[in-house]
Amino acid sequence: MRGRRRLLGVTALATATGLLGAGAGAGASRWWDTHLSPTARTAPRPSGPGRALGARTVFQTSGESGKLALTFDDGPDPRWTPRVLDMLARLQVRATFFVLGSAAQEHPELIAREVAEGHEVAVHNWVHTDVYGVDFSELTRSVSRTCEAITAAGAPSPRLWRPPYGRVDAPAMMVASQQKLDVLLWSVHSPSASAAAAVKDVAGAGSVVLCHDGRTQPSEALFSALEDALLSLQERGLAITTGSDLLSSPSEHQGELT
């Protein structure tokens, strides 16, 4: 009898654990994924005093210049990048393209067209890798190779970096500092046609608008909605420009981040 009660108790515990596991298993796994050892993701220390090391990280600016930045990630893509460039030409605006180095190496003609039409080419990564999944040395190589692919295609040396998914930690900031790159994130995202249509309502002076001209998000419906939204912003008197132009405007205060 005692053995039967013990068996029933173990069965009840297993059942309860299974029920909890349906909701808690993913959380427990995520806890182990994100609670790393204190030395797992640290930046290398500066070699000595006397050399300034630092990089800005900006989500949006104060907007005093009346400008907003338009940015595109994940290209160049031969299907979508020409479509985006045609749209920007119709609107007569400039944008920043945060490119994948591997795609830039494969399609240098698209990088050349971006530059020829007055746009800025900046760094995303060599491939769309979460920076948290690679060590400092590999991340450095990824950014450096992407810079080389950009300049080999005829673009100026990049001034900006946007890590995939917007992931930024101490090693990433050290890479940005050593590569002399500012990190530009975003304040408005347009991952769908409905979100793109809403850009006219949620973006304003100082905003950094994130769009995509590669990988899985682009669609004709999205770009049609985005073009209408950008036209509405222009009609409100807002100037649409590149990330570097927004950051370099004298009246903007990047320290006032929200």
Side-chain angles (χ1 to χ4, degrees):
M1 187 68 177
R2 181 178 300 175
R4 176 180 171 80
R5 284 198 299 269
R6 182 179 179 185
L7 178 60
L8 289 172
V10 170
T11 303
L13 177 60
T15 302
T17 302
L19 291 172
L20 288 172
S29 175
R30 180 162 177 77
W31 191 95
W32 286 111
D33 289 342
T34 57
H35 287 66
L36 305 175
S37 73
T39 58
R41 291 291 296 173
T42 57
R45 296 181 181 180
S47 57
R51 179 189 174 195
L53 285 172
R56 290 185 297 177
T57 300
V58 179
F59 294 85
Q60 66 181 31
T61 65
S62 61
E64 295 175 16
S65 67
K67 299 176 180 180
L68 63 86
L70 178 62
T71 68
F72 293 87
D73 288 6
D74 295 352
D77 183 303
R79 179 180 181 188
W80 297 113
T81 303
R83 166 72 170 82
V84 169
L85 289 169
D86 290 345
M87 174 186 71
L88 299 178
R90 287 191 296 272
L91 295 169
Q92 297 185 328
V93 300
R94 296 184 299 145
T96 297
F97 289 86
F98 288 95
V99 304
L100 297 172
S102 56
Q105 186 180 69
E106 187 173 355
H107 301 289
E109 74 285 355
L110 293 177
I111 301 294
R113 181 180 169 187
E114 290 169 356
V115 174
E117 296 182 11
H119 304 294
E120 178 180 25
V121 182
V123 177
H124 203 27
N125 245 21
W126 183 255
V127 293
H128 207 275
T129 302
D130 188 334
V131 303
Y132 293 173
V134 297
D135 62 23
F136 174 78
S137 296
E138 184 176 348
L139 185 57
T140 299
R141 287 194 299 272
S142 175
V143 171
S144 179
R145 289 179 70 195
T146 302
C147 290
E148 291 170 0
I150 289 171
T151 57
S157 295
R159 299 168 60 186
L160 299 176
W161 179 30
R162 175 178 289 157
Y165 311 108
R167 307 270 207 252
V168 181
D169 63 358
M173 292 305 297
M174 180 62 83
V175 170
S177 178
Q178 292 182 345
Q179 299 287 327
K180 296 181 172 57
L181 298 168
D182 288 327
V183 177
L184 185 63
L185 301 179
W186 63 88
S187 56
V188 177
H189 188 196
S190 58
S192 64
S194 60
V199 166
K200 67 180 185 299
D201 302 313
V202 297
S207 294
V208 179
V209 179
L210 166 61
C211 315
H212 293 79
D213 66 321
R215 284 170 44 89
T216 59
Q217 288 190 9
S219 70
E220 285 293 343
L222 190 157
F223 290 134
S224 178
L226 180 63
E227 184 167 1
D228 290 343
L230 295 174
L231 185 59
S232 294
L233 292 172
Q234 287 181 309
E235 292 171 347
R236 284 166 44 192
L238 294 168
I240 300 170
T241 189
T242 66
S244 285
D245 184 56
L246 178 67
L247 297 184
S248 64
S249 298
S251 59
E252 295 290 349
H253 300 292
Q254 292 92 49
E256 298 175 7
L257 303 180
T258 57

